[in-house]
Amino acid sequence: MVAVVRYRESILIPLLLAIGAILASFLASSGPIQWMDNGMFLADASQGQYFSQTLGPLDHPLYLFVTTALFAGFGPYVLSFMNSLLLIPLGWAIYRLAKGVGATNQQALLAIAAAVLCHCVFWVSTKAEVYVLHTVLVTLAYMIQFRDKQRLGVLPALFLIGVLTGLAAAIHQLTFIVLFPLYLQLLWQHKARILITIPGFVLGFAVAIPGILNEMQGGLGLIDIAHRYLIGIPDRTAEQSWQGSLFRFDEMWHEKNSVVLLMLSLIGPQLVGLLLFPKNPALRVLWAAAIMDFIFAVSYNVTDRFTFFLPGAVLLSIIGVIQLQALLPRNAAGLVNASPVVAPVVILAVFAVYASGGVQLPIHKEPLPFRDDIHYFMAPYLTDRSAEEFVRSYEKSAPQGALIIADWTPNGALRSAQASGMLKGRTFESCDEVANIDEFLKGPGAYLARTSYCGMIADRFTLETLPVGYELRAK
């Protein structure tokens, strides 16, 4: 009886931390109106097009299918909570994977809390983004390989891993990096039987087939389609080619702000998991996957490189909690239990000092109205509804029938707002594609969200300053 009570006490705090971390994501959600890609994902889901018509580097066929179905069934508000909801199956997958690689119940629950509260995971969970669903599928693939209960036979397990790989690949190309160590182990362990993963992959990737067929009808061959899907079109100078951004270690210092954002995800047990090479063979496979993900993400020359680190952060959370408990003495259980909250405590403490004016932190050179970049990027634990505030200002200043011109970031807010029922009757155009502005000047009016990235529009018209943005007048 005493042993049962002690056991319950030992898992109570980890359990409450895991539940609390997931609930915190719901509370911090950015809602159905969001900036940039996140807003565009919400807007795309409202179009009712379940299947992607292409298979380019920015297409995410399975994510489009799932979000479109969720929008059709439940509307924009439930869709905006999708990634918070996905933390529940992600938590289960983390728990089962942790148990499979030797964690105790306490460690497995702490791994859930550490993973969810990790900066990159928590940030993405509060936005409309592809990476949480992708991380769930990748974690499930590792979970099946290291399952602690051998209910599946070898061939069914391999087939299911193939299906999960196909599903994950239908969301993001990062799949092939993160699952590479898993497939090396499968090849060494099962030899030719690994071929059963191929039909599984095809089945999982089936949602992308309409896009592939459309590309082939347009004259592209399978090799060209695969090349563009993986790293963009062959021309490195073109906008949709990402070859020039891969493994740019030479640009890391110049883009140090985005590198530091990624490093925030190593605060806590993740850093222990990264720095200490595990002795456990199963943990070594997870560590190899996390290291490959980290190297890719930290050297990928894009601003939001931290979002590519979700699978690695999850795996390092499992490794880190196990390694941390092995490092500390037995009477230091309180420190192990506290490890998942280190990241939010440290980050929020720095943010509080910044907000009080005690320290200056770098912000984007092109600020957005209502958005504090430090709050938005660095402190996801605090709700950010700046995109919604931006949209409400346009509801007051731009009448129905008006044209609103904006670059990509505010365009996401405008389009997701319209998908949620706001800004009805307004027309949105991007700065580099807009035409026939003069027709709107004669009618309801034309508006420019900001001059940043839209200099070609600002130079052609007289700008009348509004509380947010500008109204265009003929010169």
Side-chain angles (χ1 to χ4, degrees):
M1 185 65 180
V2 174
V4 172
V5 172
R6 286 179 178 174
Y7 170 73
R8 289 176 178 174
E9 289 177 349
S10 69
I11 67 168
L12 180 60
I13 292 177
L15 179 61
L16 291 176
L17 283 173
I19 294 172
I22 294 173
L23 290 176
S25 173
F26 283 91
L27 296 175
S29 171
S30 291
I33 302 171
Q34 299 181 22
W35 300 107
M36 204 171 173
D37 294 6
N38 313 126
M40 291 298 188
F41 283 135
L42 291 164
D44 289 346
S46 71
Q47 300 303 305
Q49 183 174 301
Y50 287 86
F51 296 98
S52 176
Q53 299 304 298
T54 57
L55 189 63
L58 301 180
D59 291 314
H60 311 284
L62 180 59
Y63 182 81
L64 176 65
F65 182 87
V66 171
T67 53
T68 301
L70 198 58
F71 187 97
F74 300 97
Y77 286 93
V78 172
L79 176 58
S80 70
F81 287 115
M82 185 183 96
N83 281 340
S84 295
L85 288 165
L86 283 171
L87 293 178
I88 299 171
L90 177 61
W92 179 81
I94 291 170
Y95 182 86
R96 297 300 338 157
L97 173 56
K99 291 283 290 178
V101 295
T104 64
N105 290 330
Q106 177 197 21
Q107 292 170 339
L109 291 169
L110 287 173
I112 297 172
V116 173
L117 292 174
C118 179
H119 172 268
C120 64
V121 177
F122 199 94
W123 191 94
V124 173
S125 77
T126 65
K127 307 289 187 291
E129 193 51 274
V130 303
Y131 301 103
V132 175
L133 180 56
H134 176 261
T135 301
V136 170
L137 296 169
V138 167
T139 307
L140 285 171
Y142 275 104
M143 182 199 79
I144 291 171
Q145 170 63 2
F146 297 113
R147 59 197 183 279
D148 56 337
K149 297 178 180 178
Q150 301 293 328
R151 294 173 181 172
L152 280 176
V154 172
L155 291 180
L158 289 172
F159 180 80
L160 189 52
I161 289 173
V163 172
L164 290 166
T165 304
L167 290 170
I171 296 176
H172 206 280
Q173 302 88 333
L174 186 61
T175 303
F176 302 107
I177 293 175
V178 180
L179 291 184
F180 183 71
L182 172 62
Y183 274 81
L184 282 181
Q185 187 188 51
L186 292 177
L187 181 61
W188 174 80
Q189 188 175 357
H190 299 294
K191 306 298 188 294
R193 286 184 294 181
I194 194 177
L195 293 175
I196 194 66
T197 61
I198 296 175
F201 178 90
V202 173
L203 179 61
F205 202 64
V207 72
I209 290 177
I212 295 173
L213 294 177
N214 283 337
E215 298 274 30
M216 293 178 69
Q217 289 175 359
L220 285 177
L222 285 175
I223 294 177
D224 292 329
I225 294 170
H227 185 281
R228 192 179 69 164
Y229 159 70
L230 289 172
I231 52 176
I233 57 179
D235 183 3
R236 290 190 179 206
T237 63
E239 185 178 349
Q240 289 193 21
S241 176
W242 305 107
Q243 293 184 60
S245 299
L246 295 171
F247 304 112
R248 293 302 303 269
F249 298 99
D250 58 314
E251 289 286 341
M252 286 175 58
W253 177 252
H254 182 262
E255 299 296 331
K256 54 186 174 295
N257 292 344
S258 61
V259 173
V260 169
L261 272 178
L262 187 150
M263 294 301 180
L264 295 180
S265 297
L266 294 176
I267 300 174
Q270 292 84 4
L271 184 60
V272 177
L274 180 74
L275 296 179
L276 296 183
F277 186 66
K279 297 178 181 179
N280 181 320
L283 289 181
R284 287 179 180 178
V285 176
L286 302 187
W287 186 84
I291 287 293
M292 290 183 66
D293 187 18
F294 175 75
I295 292 172
F296 171 81
V298 79
S299 63
Y300 192 31
N301 195 33
V302 294
T303 303
D304 61 345
R305 66 187 74 197
F306 70 93
T307 60
F308 293 86
F309 188 48
L310 261 72
V314 166
L315 298 179
L316 288 179
S317 298
I318 297 171
I319 301 168
V321 167
I322 295 173
Q323 297 276 65
L324 186 63
Q325 190 150 47
L327 280 175
L328 295 174
R330 290 187 177 182
N331 58 358
L335 293 176
V336 179
N337 284 341
S339 63
V341 300
V342 170
V345 167
V346 170
I347 290 171
L348 291 176
V350 173
F351 178 75
V353 175
Y354 157 79
S356 66
V359 65
Q360 294 294 318
L361 296 174
I363 60 173
H364 200 284
K365 63 181 180 180
E366 304 290 351
L368 283 160
F370 301 106
R371 193 176 90 176
D372 180 329
D373 280 347
I374 304 302
H375 174 188
Y376 181 77
F377 283 111
M378 194 185 84
Y381 314 102
L382 304 175
T383 307
D384 178 271
R385 293 294 179 96
S386 55
E388 183 177 336
E389 293 180 70
F390 167 76
V391 165
R392 292 196 182 281
S393 72
Y394 264 103
E395 281 232 302
K396 298 175 183 176
S397 59
Q400 287 202 24
L403 169 68
I404 304 176
I405 306 166
D407 60 279
W408 181 259
T409 300
N411 231 337
L414 297 169
R415 292 184 183 276
S416 58
Q418 197 166 74
S420 298
M422 299 178 69
L423 292 174
K424 292 180 179 178
R426 281 77 163 184
T427 300
F428 309 126
E429 293 287 353
S430 63
C431 300
D432 53 352
E433 295 180 358
V434 63
N436 303 321
I437 298 176
D438 293 335
E439 293 183 9
F440 288 90
L441 294 181
K442 299 172 185 176
Y447 298 81
L448 182 64
R450 61 174 179 169
T451 56
S452 306
Y453 312 107
C454 297
M456 73 292 286
I457 304 295
D459 293 341
R460 288 170 51 196
F461 300 91
T462 299
L463 305 183
E464 182 177 326
T465 303
L466 300 175
V468 175
Y470 308 88
E471 183 175 0
L472 301 182
R473 303 267 188 201
K475 282 189 174 180

